[in-house]
Amino acid sequence: MKMRFVQRSFVALALACCVAVPAFAVQQTTATPRPAAPPTTGAAHSEIDHAHVPQHAVAVVFPTQGNDVRGVVVLQQDGDDITVRGRMINLTPGKHGFHIHQYGDLRSVDGKSAGGHYDPEGHDHGGPDASSHHVGDLGNIEANEEGTAEFKMTIKGHKVHLLVGRAIVVHEGEDDLKSQPSGAAGPRAGVGVVGIANPEDNS
Ligand code: CU
Ligand code: ZN
């Protein structure tokens, strides 16, 4: 549907151009010169791109169908590393697998549309302190008797802007830090998309 609209628009534009050429040619002699366009060098582009690389991201975690977990996770660039901290409520007491998954796609009610663990380097699943593991392997968070987990952890040698658009997932069960491909942590209890944080909100 959209493609058909684009094609029609293109045809209409092409026709309009053909018709408009004579009129434009006459007007051109009296038109005042336009100011020169700003330079578009590679250097200017890279400065703009750099200014917009996010250093601070946030994910608001919502429950999957049949669960109640909620929370907020903040991700901050700290030099070469990323500091991850947050708070989750309405968990069952104990450990829960906690990962960054590949896609920020929450279309399925069970969270499975978020895909597997974020793994840009093609590693096996493991604990965050293992010599080799998925970048998204954050291990476990542990909820107290009230079902609340507060946590802080580090992702070494990675950039926060590469996590924007992916998903934070907290699981119903514990990540055993060794089972492939995802630590046998069970169903997904809560999910949230990592977005660029508003710098004026430090909650
Ligand atoms: Cu997971
Ligand atoms: Zn993993």
Side-chain angles (χ1 to χ4, degrees), residues 97-101 115-117 136 168-171 175 182 185-186 188:
F98 185 65
H99 314 120
I100 297 160
H101 284 238
H117 294 179
I168 294 278
V169 177
V170 58
H171 289 261
D175 183 337
S182 52
R188 301 165 185 201

Side-chain angles (χ1 to χ4, degrees), residues 117 125 134 137 181:
H117 294 179
H125 178 71
H134 302 144
D137 290 343

